[in-house]
Amino acid sequence: MSYTFEAVGRIHSPYREKFGIPRQPSLAPSARVTLELLPPYNQPDAVRGLSAFSHLWLTFVFHQTAERGWTPLVRPPRLGGNAKVGVFASRSTHRPNPLGLSLVELLDVDTRAGVMLTLAGADLLDGTPVLDIKPYIPFVEARPDARGGFVDGPPPTLAVAWSETALAQLAALPAPPPGFAALIGEVLAQDPRPAYQDDPARVYGVRLYDYNVRFSVAAGAATVLEIRLTTP
Ligand code: SAM
């Protein structure tokens, strides 16, 4: 059985590369993402009533990794990158059909020119194609008693400190994106490093908006070292 789907919308996100994107939605609530509906779906009628819901399910394509195929066993970062589980027991991006599912908070529905949805806390790369949007229905879908398998609880987080240089650079940004400092803190607290790396001398860079945020990690704490404008 084979089906073809068309994107109903496209994501505009501060996450300009995979590295640094939190592994699930809501872990970086300061991330502001816009979902632009595409023709012929970008009509006010298609979202009538949506603003009455606080949260949405998005079905999307892992478009950047879609070509990589899949394997029946995957190594979730949450298990340290060593233990294997079945792909269908995971949220891995490498799936037979490269589809993602994220629960996001809906902040605004703007139908003045096409349809733009403002979302909080999405774990989505800039340019992600969205296949479907559905309202979250709390009385059916909120199950606090559910078992969470190997992800039973939030991941451990890092403390985040700022160097004098990074603080001065942040203060000097001519038009900083809203909530930029909070977003940097939330992203680094998630410890974006690969599971097997623990080198305090290593400097990493995470791309957020048009900036490269350089940081290092030592003794359970991340330090923001520098904020550089990325060259196009
Ligand atoms: N919440 C979704 C789910 O459960 O299906 C995604 C979980 S997946 C583990 C989250 C990761 O997907 C992010 O950390 C990011 O690296 C990756 N990602 C996000 N958007 C992507 C895209 N468009 N293409 C490929 N990878 C993407």
Side-chain angles (χ1 to χ4, degrees):
M1 288 183 288
S2 178
Y3 300 88
T4 303
F5 298 107
E6 182 180 67
V8 300
R10 179 197 301 125
I11 291 290
H12 301 276
S13 163
Y15 300 122
R16 303 292 162 84
E17 62 180 10
K18 271 190 73 198
F19 181 68
I21 305 180
R23 296 189 177 111
Q24 285 302 335
S26 85
L27 295 174
S30 298
R32 288 290 173 276
V33 161
T34 310
L35 169 50
E36 173 194 6
L37 295 202
L38 299 171
Y41 314 105
N42 61 343
Q43 37 182 307
D45 276 352
V47 292
R48 192 186 297 175
L50 192 66
S51 61
F53 295 88
S54 65
H55 291 75
L56 308 177
W57 289 111
L58 302 183
T59 305
F60 61 92
V61 182
F62 289 118
H63 74 301
Q64 199 178 79
T65 50
E67 302 302 319
R68 290 199 200 158
W70 71 285
T71 50
L73 290 172
V74 298
R75 300 170 194 265
R78 194 60 193 274
L79 291 176
N82 291 322
K84 295 179 181 174
V85 301
V87 65
F88 298 129
S90 83
R91 294 299 191 100
S92 169
T93 53
H94 307 299
R95 325 183 66 78
N97 295 307
L99 297 180
L101 180 69
S102 288
L103 181 64
V104 295
E105 185 179 0
L106 175 64
L107 298 181
D108 187 52
V109 179
D110 185 345
T111 56
R112 286 173 299 175
V115 179
M116 299 288 249
L117 308 183
T118 305
L119 312 169
D123 54 347
L124 304 173
L125 188 64
D126 192 41
T128 296
V130 172
L131 297 185
D132 202 9
I133 303 163
K134 288 186 176 138
Y136 170 73
I137 302 174
F139 98 90
V140 183
E141 298 178 307
R143 303 303 298 259
D145 54 337
R147 288 197 309 275
F150 61 88
V151 276
D152 215 359
T157 53
L158 298 175
V160 179
W162 289 68
S163 69
E164 292 297 324
T165 304
L167 280 176
Q169 288 169 331
L170 181 71
L173 292 182
F180 192 31
L183 177 63
I184 293 171
E186 290 163 5
V187 165
L188 299 192
Q190 293 298 314
D191 195 354
R193 297 173 304 164
Y196 51 86
Q197 278 184 16
D198 191 16
D199 178 359
R202 186 158 178 162
V203 175
Y204 299 88
V206 59
R207 285 190 60 202
L208 295 173
Y209 295 101
D210 292 331
Y211 299 94
N212 183 7
V213 178
R214 290 163 62 77
F215 69 99
S216 61
V217 180
T223 303
V224 188
L225 300 173
E226 242 189 328
I227 301 175
R228 289 185 187 170
L229 201 57
T230 50
T231 42

